[in-house]
Amino acid sequence: MRTIYRTLDRRLMRDVALVALADGVVGVSYGAISTGSGFGPWLPVVLSLVVFAGAAQFLFVGLVAAGGSPFAAAVAGLLINSRHLPFGMAVADVLGGRGRVLGSHLMTDENVAFAMAQEDAGRRRTAYWACGIGIFVCWNVGALAGAFAGTVIGDTDAFGLDAAFPAVLLALVLPSLEDRSTRHAALAGAAVALVVTPFLPAGLPVLLALAGLLVLVGRR
């Protein structure tokens, strides 16, 4: 933790804080939607602490509220979170040995993107842990607040929050798109995601977008 604190400069701290706060706002919405769907306030809080995966949590609540079985909802959540397998390989060097379990639990799209955007190994580690811890705290506080706020915020789309995370992640990966091969792979993955989005649950199009990596394999 001391090493992370020493390498956490003002710019990185600002970027991490903005992303964490945005996650916290969506966490409020998640908690409110959960209680508004008839679940007890304890459910979104426990899921946020134990599962800590926004897309999977929204999917779980939505499927069960629509009459689906908790088992089917859990399987769907696991399928969505399977994208963490390639994520884990990409950031294996920042997790270390003793902190691997905790680091895996804190893994999100955002802190993986933050880590991958850093060139120095020390800054990669700092970005990953700082963003992961920040999001974990803000998300859980937001979910707790939203759970007791009921249905005050019921539709995140009405506030434009559905566009916040794609915008943030795009800004984080833009430097990597300067490489031509990477750019072509990203465009191919985006095309796949756009085609299948109308037919699949949220989260699965992102997973299938990994097919864009075949462009890199074919070139090599």
Side-chain angles (χ1 to χ4, degrees), residues 155-216:
D155 184 9
T156 58
D157 294 357
F159 294 89
L161 296 177
D162 56 320
F165 292 107
V168 169
L169 290 175
L170 178 60
L172 290 173
V173 302
L174 276 178
S176 300
L177 298 181
E178 294 179 0
D179 178 73
R180 185 177 181 180
S181 297
T182 302
R183 184 166 61 250
H184 287 170
L187 289 173
V192 171
L194 286 174
V195 170
V196 301
T197 291
F199 311 104
L200 297 176
L204 291 184
V206 176
L207 181 63
L208 292 180
L210 292 173
L213 295 175
L214 295 176
V215 173
L216 290 177

Short mmCIF file of all heavy atoms in Angstrom, two decimals, residues 155-216:
data_model
loop_
_atom_site.label_atom_id
_atom_site.label_comp_id
_atom_site.label_asym_id
_atom_site.label_seq_id
_atom_site.Cartn_x
_atom_site.Cartn_y
_atom_site.Cartn_z
N ASP A 155 -34.68 4.82 -13.35
CA ASP A 155 -34.28 4.64 -14.75
C ASP A 155 -32.96 5.37 -14.97
O ASP A 155 -32.92 6.59 -15.12
CB ASP A 155 -35.36 5.19 -15.67
CG ASP A 155 -35.05 4.96 -17.14
OD1 ASP A 155 -34.07 4.23 -17.42
OD2 ASP A 155 -35.76 5.51 -17.99
N THR A 156 -31.86 4.63 -15.03
CA THR A 156 -30.56 5.27 -15.24
C THR A 156 -30.45 5.90 -16.62
O THR A 156 -29.73 6.88 -16.81
CB THR A 156 -29.43 4.24 -15.08
OG1 THR A 156 -29.61 3.19 -16.01
CG2 THR A 156 -29.42 3.67 -13.68
N ASP A 157 -31.17 5.37 -17.60
CA ASP A 157 -31.11 5.91 -18.95
C ASP A 157 -31.60 7.36 -18.99
O ASP A 157 -31.11 8.18 -19.77
CB ASP A 157 -31.96 5.07 -19.91
CG ASP A 157 -31.39 3.67 -20.09
OD1 ASP A 157 -30.31 3.39 -19.52
OD2 ASP A 157 -32.02 2.87 -20.80
N ALA A 158 -32.57 7.68 -18.12
CA ALA A 158 -33.13 9.03 -18.10
C ALA A 158 -32.09 10.06 -17.68
O ALA A 158 -32.20 11.24 -18.01
CB ALA A 158 -34.33 9.08 -17.15
N PHE A 159 -31.07 9.62 -16.96
CA PHE A 159 -30.01 10.52 -16.50
C PHE A 159 -28.76 10.44 -17.37
O PHE A 159 -27.77 11.09 -17.09
CB PHE A 159 -29.63 10.20 -15.05
CG PHE A 159 -30.74 10.47 -14.07
CD1 PHE A 159 -31.66 9.48 -13.78
CD2 PHE A 159 -30.88 11.71 -13.47
CE1 PHE A 159 -32.70 9.71 -12.89
CE2 PHE A 159 -31.91 11.95 -12.58
CZ PHE A 159 -32.83 10.96 -12.29
N GLY A 160 -28.81 9.61 -18.40
CA GLY A 160 -27.66 9.47 -19.28
C GLY A 160 -26.53 8.64 -18.69
O GLY A 160 -25.43 8.61 -19.24
N LEU A 161 -26.80 7.94 -17.58
CA LEU A 161 -25.75 7.17 -16.93
C LEU A 161 -25.34 5.94 -17.75
O LEU A 161 -24.25 5.42 -17.58
CB LEU A 161 -26.20 6.72 -15.54
CG LEU A 161 -26.45 7.85 -14.54
CD1 LEU A 161 -26.96 7.28 -13.23
CD2 LEU A 161 -25.19 8.65 -14.30
N ASP A 162 -26.25 5.51 -18.65
CA ASP A 162 -25.94 4.35 -19.46
C ASP A 162 -24.80 4.65 -20.44
O ASP A 162 -24.12 3.74 -20.91
CB ASP A 162 -27.18 3.89 -20.23
CG ASP A 162 -27.78 5.01 -21.08
OD1 ASP A 162 -27.82 6.16 -20.61
OD2 ASP A 162 -28.20 4.73 -22.22
N ALA A 163 -24.59 5.94 -20.73
CA ALA A 163 -23.53 6.31 -21.67
C ALA A 163 -22.23 6.69 -20.97
O ALA A 163 -21.21 6.87 -21.64
CB ALA A 163 -24.00 7.49 -22.53
N ALA A 164 -22.26 6.80 -19.66
CA ALA A 164 -21.08 7.28 -18.93
C ALA A 164 -19.91 6.30 -19.03
O ALA A 164 -18.78 6.71 -19.33
CB ALA A 164 -21.43 7.54 -17.47
N PHE A 165 -20.17 5.03 -18.79
CA PHE A 165 -19.07 4.06 -18.75
C PHE A 165 -18.47 3.78 -20.11
O PHE A 165 -17.25 3.68 -20.23
CB PHE A 165 -19.53 2.78 -18.06
CG PHE A 165 -19.79 3.00 -16.61
CD1 PHE A 165 -21.08 3.02 -16.13
CD2 PHE A 165 -18.75 3.24 -15.73
CE1 PHE A 165 -21.33 3.26 -14.79
CE2 PHE A 165 -18.99 3.48 -14.39
CZ PHE A 165 -20.28 3.49 -13.91
N PRO A 166 -19.28 3.64 -21.18
CA PRO A 166 -18.65 3.50 -22.49
C PRO A 166 -17.75 4.68 -22.83
O PRO A 166 -16.69 4.50 -23.42
CB PRO A 166 -19.85 3.41 -23.45
CG PRO A 166 -20.95 2.85 -22.61
CD PRO A 166 -20.74 3.44 -21.25
N ALA A 167 -18.17 5.88 -22.46
CA ALA A 167 -17.37 7.08 -22.74
C ALA A 167 -16.05 7.05 -21.98
O ALA A 167 -14.99 7.36 -22.53
CB ALA A 167 -18.15 8.34 -22.40
N VAL A 168 -16.12 6.67 -20.70
CA VAL A 168 -14.91 6.61 -19.88
C VAL A 168 -13.94 5.56 -20.41
O VAL A 168 -12.74 5.80 -20.56
CB VAL A 168 -15.27 6.30 -18.41
CG1 VAL A 168 -14.00 5.97 -17.61
CG2 VAL A 168 -15.98 7.48 -17.79
N LEU A 169 -14.46 4.37 -20.73
CA LEU A 169 -13.59 3.30 -21.22
C LEU A 169 -12.99 3.63 -22.58
O LEU A 169 -11.83 3.31 -22.85
CB LEU A 169 -14.39 1.99 -21.30
CG LEU A 169 -14.79 1.39 -19.96
CD1 LEU A 169 -15.68 0.16 -20.17
CD2 LEU A 169 -13.57 1.00 -19.14
N LEU A 170 -13.77 4.31 -23.43
CA LEU A 170 -13.24 4.71 -24.72
C LEU A 170 -12.07 5.67 -24.55
O LEU A 170 -11.04 5.56 -25.23
CB LEU A 170 -14.33 5.36 -25.57
CG LEU A 170 -13.90 5.87 -26.95
CD1 LEU A 170 -13.37 4.71 -27.80
CD2 LEU A 170 -15.07 6.56 -27.65
N ALA A 171 -12.22 6.62 -23.63
CA ALA A 171 -11.14 7.58 -23.36
C ALA A 171 -9.88 6.87 -22.86
O ALA A 171 -8.76 7.26 -23.19
CB ALA A 171 -11.61 8.62 -22.36
N LEU A 172 -10.07 5.81 -22.09
CA LEU A 172 -8.92 5.10 -21.52
C LEU A 172 -8.17 4.28 -22.57
O LEU A 172 -6.95 4.13 -22.50
CB LEU A 172 -9.39 4.18 -20.39
CG LEU A 172 -9.86 4.86 -19.10
CD1 LEU A 172 -10.44 3.84 -18.14
CD2 LEU A 172 -8.71 5.60 -18.43
N VAL A 173 -8.91 3.75 -23.55
CA VAL A 173 -8.25 2.87 -24.53
C VAL A 173 -7.80 3.61 -25.78
O VAL A 173 -7.10 3.02 -26.62
CB VAL A 173 -9.17 1.70 -24.94
CG1 VAL A 173 -9.58 0.89 -23.74
CG2 VAL A 173 -10.41 2.20 -25.69
N LEU A 174 -8.16 4.87 -25.93
CA LEU A 174 -7.80 5.61 -27.14
C LEU A 174 -6.30 5.58 -27.45
O LEU A 174 -5.91 5.42 -28.61
CB LEU A 174 -8.28 7.07 -27.03
CG LEU A 174 -9.74 7.30 -27.44
CD1 LEU A 174 -10.11 8.76 -27.23
CD2 LEU A 174 -9.99 6.89 -28.88
N PRO A 175 -5.41 5.75 -26.44
CA PRO A 175 -3.98 5.70 -26.75
C PRO A 175 -3.55 4.39 -27.40
O PRO A 175 -2.67 4.37 -28.25
CB PRO A 175 -3.31 5.89 -25.38
CG PRO A 175 -4.32 6.64 -24.58
CD PRO A 175 -5.64 6.10 -25.03
N SER A 176 -4.18 3.28 -27.01
CA SER A 176 -3.82 1.98 -27.58
C SER A 176 -4.25 1.85 -29.03
O SER A 176 -3.69 1.04 -29.79
CB SER A 176 -4.46 0.85 -26.76
OG SER A 176 -4.03 0.90 -25.42
N LEU A 177 -5.24 2.65 -29.45
CA LEU A 177 -5.76 2.55 -30.80
C LEU A 177 -4.87 3.23 -31.84
O LEU A 177 -5.19 3.22 -33.03
CB LEU A 177 -7.18 3.15 -30.86
CG LEU A 177 -8.22 2.44 -29.99
CD1 LEU A 177 -9.58 3.11 -30.17
CD2 LEU A 177 -8.31 0.96 -30.33
N GLU A 178 -3.78 3.84 -31.38
CA GLU A 178 -2.83 4.43 -32.34
C GLU A 178 -2.14 3.35 -33.16
O GLU A 178 -1.71 3.61 -34.29
CB GLU A 178 -1.81 5.27 -31.58
CG GLU A 178 -2.41 6.50 -30.91
CD GLU A 178 -1.37 7.29 -30.15
OE1 GLU A 178 -0.19 6.87 -30.16
OE2 GLU A 178 -1.71 8.33 -29.57
N ASP A 179 -2.03 2.15 -32.60
CA ASP A 179 -1.45 1.04 -33.34
C ASP A 179 -2.48 0.52 -34.36
O ASP A 179 -3.63 0.24 -34.01
CB ASP A 179 -1.07 -0.09 -32.37
CG ASP A 179 -0.51 -1.29 -33.10
OD1 ASP A 179 0.62 -1.22 -33.59
OD2 ASP A 179 -1.24 -2.31 -33.18
N ARG A 180 -2.07 0.40 -35.61
CA ARG A 180 -3.00 0.05 -36.68
C ARG A 180 -3.64 -1.32 -36.48
O ARG A 180 -4.86 -1.48 -36.64
CB ARG A 180 -2.27 0.09 -38.02
CG ARG A 180 -3.18 -0.15 -39.22
CD ARG A 180 -2.41 -0.02 -40.52
NE ARG A 180 -3.28 -0.21 -41.67
CZ ARG A 180 -2.87 -0.15 -42.93
NH1 ARG A 180 -1.58 0.09 -43.19
NH2 ARG A 180 -3.72 -0.35 -43.92
N SER A 181 -2.84 -2.32 -36.13
CA SER A 181 -3.37 -3.67 -35.95
C SER A 181 -4.37 -3.72 -34.79
O SER A 181 -5.43 -4.35 -34.89
CB SER A 181 -2.23 -4.65 -35.68
OG SER A 181 -1.36 -4.72 -36.79
N THR A 182 -4.03 -3.03 -33.69
CA THR A 182 -4.93 -2.98 -32.54
C THR A 182 -6.24 -2.28 -32.91
O THR A 182 -7.32 -2.70 -32.51
CB THR A 182 -4.27 -2.24 -31.37
OG1 THR A 182 -3.05 -2.90 -31.02
CG2 THR A 182 -5.19 -2.21 -30.15
N ARG A 183 -6.12 -1.23 -33.69
CA ARG A 183 -7.31 -0.48 -34.11
C ARG A 183 -8.23 -1.35 -34.97
O ARG A 183 -9.45 -1.34 -34.79
CB ARG A 183 -6.90 0.77 -34.89
CG ARG A 183 -8.05 1.67 -35.28
CD ARG A 183 -7.57 3.04 -35.73
NE ARG A 183 -6.71 2.97 -36.90
CZ ARG A 183 -5.39 3.22 -36.86
NH1 ARG A 183 -4.81 3.56 -35.73
NH2 ARG A 183 -4.67 3.16 -37.96
N HIS A 184 -7.66 -2.12 -35.88
CA HIS A 184 -8.47 -2.99 -36.73
C HIS A 184 -9.16 -4.09 -35.90
O HIS A 184 -10.33 -4.42 -36.13
CB HIS A 184 -7.60 -3.64 -37.81
CG HIS A 184 -7.20 -2.67 -38.87
ND1 HIS A 184 -6.26 -2.96 -39.84
CD2 HIS A 184 -7.59 -1.39 -39.13
CE1 HIS A 184 -6.11 -1.93 -40.64
NE2 HIS A 184 -6.90 -0.96 -40.22
N ALA A 185 -8.44 -4.63 -34.93
CA ALA A 185 -9.02 -5.65 -34.06
C ALA A 185 -10.17 -5.07 -33.24
O ALA A 185 -11.22 -5.71 -33.05
CB ALA A 185 -7.95 -6.24 -33.14
N ALA A 186 -9.98 -3.85 -32.73
CA ALA A 186 -11.02 -3.19 -31.93
C ALA A 186 -12.25 -2.91 -32.78
O ALA A 186 -13.39 -3.10 -32.32
CB ALA A 186 -10.48 -1.89 -31.34
N LEU A 187 -12.05 -2.46 -34.02
CA LEU A 187 -13.19 -2.19 -34.90
C LEU A 187 -13.95 -3.47 -35.23
O LEU A 187 -15.18 -3.48 -35.30
CB LEU A 187 -12.69 -1.51 -36.19
CG LEU A 187 -12.22 -0.06 -36.04
CD1 LEU A 187 -11.61 0.43 -37.35
CD2 LEU A 187 -13.37 0.84 -35.61
N ALA A 188 -13.20 -4.56 -35.45
CA ALA A 188 -13.85 -5.84 -35.74
C ALA A 188 -14.66 -6.31 -34.54
O ALA A 188 -15.81 -6.78 -34.67
CB ALA A 188 -12.80 -6.89 -36.11
N GLY A 189 -14.10 -6.17 -33.33
CA GLY A 189 -14.82 -6.55 -32.13
C GLY A 189 -16.05 -5.70 -31.91
O GLY A 189 -17.11 -6.20 -31.52
N ALA A 190 -15.94 -4.39 -32.18
CA ALA A 190 -17.09 -3.50 -32.04
C ALA A 190 -18.20 -3.88 -33.01
O ALA A 190 -19.40 -3.85 -32.66
CB ALA A 190 -16.65 -2.06 -32.26
N ALA A 191 -17.82 -4.26 -34.23
CA ALA A 191 -18.82 -4.66 -35.23
C ALA A 191 -19.57 -5.92 -34.77
O ALA A 191 -20.80 -6.00 -34.91
CB ALA A 191 -18.13 -4.91 -36.57
N VAL A 192 -18.83 -6.88 -34.23
CA VAL A 192 -19.46 -8.11 -33.73
C VAL A 192 -20.44 -7.78 -32.61
O VAL A 192 -21.58 -8.27 -32.59
CB VAL A 192 -18.39 -9.10 -33.21
CG1 VAL A 192 -19.05 -10.27 -32.49
CG2 VAL A 192 -17.54 -9.60 -34.37
N ALA A 193 -20.02 -6.91 -31.67
CA ALA A 193 -20.88 -6.54 -30.54
C ALA A 193 -22.15 -5.85 -31.02
O ALA A 193 -23.24 -6.11 -30.51
CB ALA A 193 -20.10 -5.65 -29.56
N LEU A 194 -22.03 -4.95 -32.00
CA LEU A 194 -23.20 -4.23 -32.51
C LEU A 194 -24.19 -5.17 -33.18
O LEU A 194 -25.41 -5.01 -33.04
CB LEU A 194 -22.75 -3.15 -33.50
CG LEU A 194 -22.08 -1.91 -32.89
CD1 LEU A 194 -21.56 -1.00 -33.99
CD2 LEU A 194 -23.07 -1.15 -32.00
N VAL A 195 -23.68 -6.15 -33.88
CA VAL A 195 -24.56 -7.08 -34.60
C VAL A 195 -25.37 -7.95 -33.64
O VAL A 195 -26.57 -8.18 -33.85
CB VAL A 195 -23.73 -7.97 -35.56
CG1 VAL A 195 -24.60 -9.10 -36.13
CG2 VAL A 195 -23.17 -7.13 -36.69
N VAL A 196 -24.72 -8.43 -32.57
CA VAL A 196 -25.40 -9.38 -31.67
C VAL A 196 -26.14 -8.70 -30.52
O VAL A 196 -26.93 -9.36 -29.83
CB VAL A 196 -24.38 -10.39 -31.10
CG1 VAL A 196 -23.70 -11.16 -32.21
CG2 VAL A 196 -23.35 -9.69 -30.21
N THR A 197 -25.91 -7.40 -30.30
CA THR A 197 -26.55 -6.71 -29.17
C THR A 197 -28.07 -6.84 -29.14
O THR A 197 -28.65 -7.07 -28.07
CB THR A 197 -26.14 -5.22 -29.15
OG1 THR A 197 -24.75 -5.13 -28.81
CG2 THR A 197 -26.95 -4.44 -28.11
N PRO A 198 -28.79 -6.72 -30.28
CA PRO A 198 -30.26 -6.82 -30.22
C PRO A 198 -30.76 -8.21 -29.83
O PRO A 198 -31.94 -8.36 -29.47
CB PRO A 198 -30.69 -6.47 -31.66
CG PRO A 198 -29.54 -5.73 -32.25
CD PRO A 198 -28.32 -6.36 -31.63
N PHE A 199 -29.91 -9.21 -29.87
CA PHE A 199 -30.37 -10.58 -29.68
C PHE A 199 -29.90 -11.23 -28.38
O PHE A 199 -30.39 -12.30 -28.02
CB PHE A 199 -29.92 -11.45 -30.86
CG PHE A 199 -30.20 -10.86 -32.20
CD1 PHE A 199 -29.19 -10.28 -32.95
CD2 PHE A 199 -31.49 -10.85 -32.71
CE1 PHE A 199 -29.45 -9.71 -34.19
CE2 PHE A 199 -31.77 -10.30 -33.95
CZ PHE A 199 -30.74 -9.72 -34.70
N LEU A 200 -28.94 -10.61 -27.68
CA LEU A 200 -28.35 -11.23 -26.50
C LEU A 200 -28.48 -10.35 -25.27
O LEU A 200 -28.62 -9.12 -25.39
CB LEU A 200 -26.85 -11.52 -26.75
CG LEU A 200 -26.53 -12.50 -27.87
CD1 LEU A 200 -25.03 -12.62 -28.06
CD2 LEU A 200 -27.13 -13.88 -27.56
N PRO A 201 -28.45 -10.94 -24.06
CA PRO A 201 -28.51 -10.15 -22.83
C PRO A 201 -27.30 -9.24 -22.68
O PRO A 201 -26.25 -9.47 -23.28
CB PRO A 201 -28.52 -11.23 -21.72
CG PRO A 201 -28.93 -12.48 -22.39
CD PRO A 201 -28.42 -12.38 -23.80
N ALA A 202 -27.45 -8.20 -21.87
CA ALA A 202 -26.36 -7.26 -21.65
C ALA A 202 -25.13 -7.99 -21.11
O ALA A 202 -25.24 -8.86 -20.25
CB ALA A 202 -26.79 -6.18 -20.65
N GLY A 203 -23.98 -7.66 -21.64
CA GLY A 203 -22.73 -8.27 -21.19
C GLY A 203 -22.18 -9.28 -22.17
O GLY A 203 -20.96 -9.36 -22.38
N LEU A 204 -23.06 -10.08 -22.78
CA LEU A 204 -22.59 -11.11 -23.71
C LEU A 204 -22.00 -10.52 -25.00
O LEU A 204 -21.02 -11.04 -25.51
CB LEU A 204 -23.74 -12.07 -24.05
CG LEU A 204 -24.21 -12.98 -22.91
CD1 LEU A 204 -25.28 -13.94 -23.42
CD2 LEU A 204 -23.03 -13.76 -22.33
N PRO A 205 -22.58 -9.43 -25.54
CA PRO A 205 -21.95 -8.84 -26.74
C PRO A 205 -20.50 -8.43 -26.49
O PRO A 205 -19.66 -8.56 -27.38
CB PRO A 205 -22.84 -7.62 -27.03
CG PRO A 205 -24.17 -8.01 -26.49
CD PRO A 205 -23.88 -8.79 -25.25
N VAL A 206 -20.20 -7.92 -25.29
CA VAL A 206 -18.83 -7.54 -24.96
C VAL A 206 -17.92 -8.76 -24.99
O VAL A 206 -16.78 -8.70 -25.48
CB VAL A 206 -18.77 -6.86 -23.58
CG1 VAL A 206 -17.34 -6.56 -23.19
CG2 VAL A 206 -19.60 -5.60 -23.59
N LEU A 207 -18.42 -9.87 -24.47
CA LEU A 207 -17.64 -11.10 -24.47
C LEU A 207 -17.37 -11.58 -25.89
O LEU A 207 -16.24 -11.94 -26.24
CB LEU A 207 -18.39 -12.18 -23.68
CG LEU A 207 -17.70 -13.53 -23.54
CD1 LEU A 207 -16.39 -13.38 -22.77
CD2 LEU A 207 -18.62 -14.51 -22.83
N LEU A 208 -18.39 -11.55 -26.75
CA LEU A 208 -18.23 -12.01 -28.13
C LEU A 208 -17.35 -11.05 -28.93
O LEU A 208 -16.77 -11.44 -29.95
CB LEU A 208 -19.60 -12.14 -28.80
CG LEU A 208 -20.48 -13.27 -28.25
CD1 LEU A 208 -21.82 -13.30 -28.99
CD2 LEU A 208 -19.78 -14.62 -28.39
N ALA A 209 -17.23 -9.81 -28.46
CA ALA A 209 -16.36 -8.85 -29.16
C ALA A 209 -14.91 -9.27 -29.13
O ALA A 209 -14.10 -8.79 -29.93
CB ALA A 209 -16.52 -7.46 -28.54
N LEU A 210 -14.56 -10.19 -28.23
CA LEU A 210 -13.19 -10.70 -28.19
C LEU A 210 -12.82 -11.42 -29.48
O LEU A 210 -11.65 -11.68 -29.73
CB LEU A 210 -13.02 -11.65 -26.99
CG LEU A 210 -13.11 -11.01 -25.60
CD1 LEU A 210 -13.09 -12.08 -24.53
CD2 LEU A 210 -11.95 -10.04 -25.40
N ALA A 211 -13.83 -11.73 -30.29
CA ALA A 211 -13.55 -12.35 -31.59
C ALA A 211 -12.71 -11.44 -32.46
O ALA A 211 -12.04 -11.89 -33.40
CB ALA A 211 -14.87 -12.68 -32.31
N GLY A 212 -12.70 -10.13 -32.12
CA GLY A 212 -11.86 -9.20 -32.86
C GLY A 212 -10.39 -9.52 -32.76
O GLY A 212 -9.59 -9.13 -33.62
N LEU A 213 -10.01 -10.25 -31.72
CA LEU A 213 -8.61 -10.64 -31.56
C LEU A 213 -8.15 -11.57 -32.68
O LEU A 213 -6.95 -11.70 -32.93
CB LEU A 213 -8.42 -11.34 -30.20
CG LEU A 213 -8.64 -10.47 -28.96
CD1 LEU A 213 -8.54 -11.33 -27.70
CD2 LEU A 213 -7.63 -9.34 -28.92
N LEU A 214 -9.11 -12.21 -33.35
CA LEU A 214 -8.74 -13.09 -34.47
C LEU A 214 -8.08 -12.31 -35.60
O LEU A 214 -7.30 -12.86 -36.37
CB LEU A 214 -9.99 -13.81 -34.99
CG LEU A 214 -10.67 -14.78 -34.02
CD1 LEU A 214 -11.96 -15.35 -34.64
CD2 LEU A 214 -9.72 -15.91 -33.65
N VAL A 215 -8.38 -11.01 -35.66
CA VAL A 215 -7.74 -10.16 -36.67
C VAL A 215 -6.24 -10.09 -36.41
O VAL A 215 -5.42 -10.19 -37.33
CB VAL A 215 -8.36 -8.75 -36.65
CG1 VAL A 215 -7.59 -7.82 -37.59
CG2 VAL A 215 -9.82 -8.81 -37.07
N LEU A 216 -5.88 -9.93 -35.11
CA LEU A 216 -4.47 -9.89 -34.77
C LEU A 216 -3.79 -11.23 -35.02
O LEU A 216 -2.67 -11.29 -35.53
CB LEU A 216 -4.29 -9.52 -33.28
CG LEU A 216 -4.65 -8.08 -32.89
CD1 LEU A 216 -4.51 -7.90 -31.38
CD2 LEU A 216 -3.75 -7.09 -33.62
#
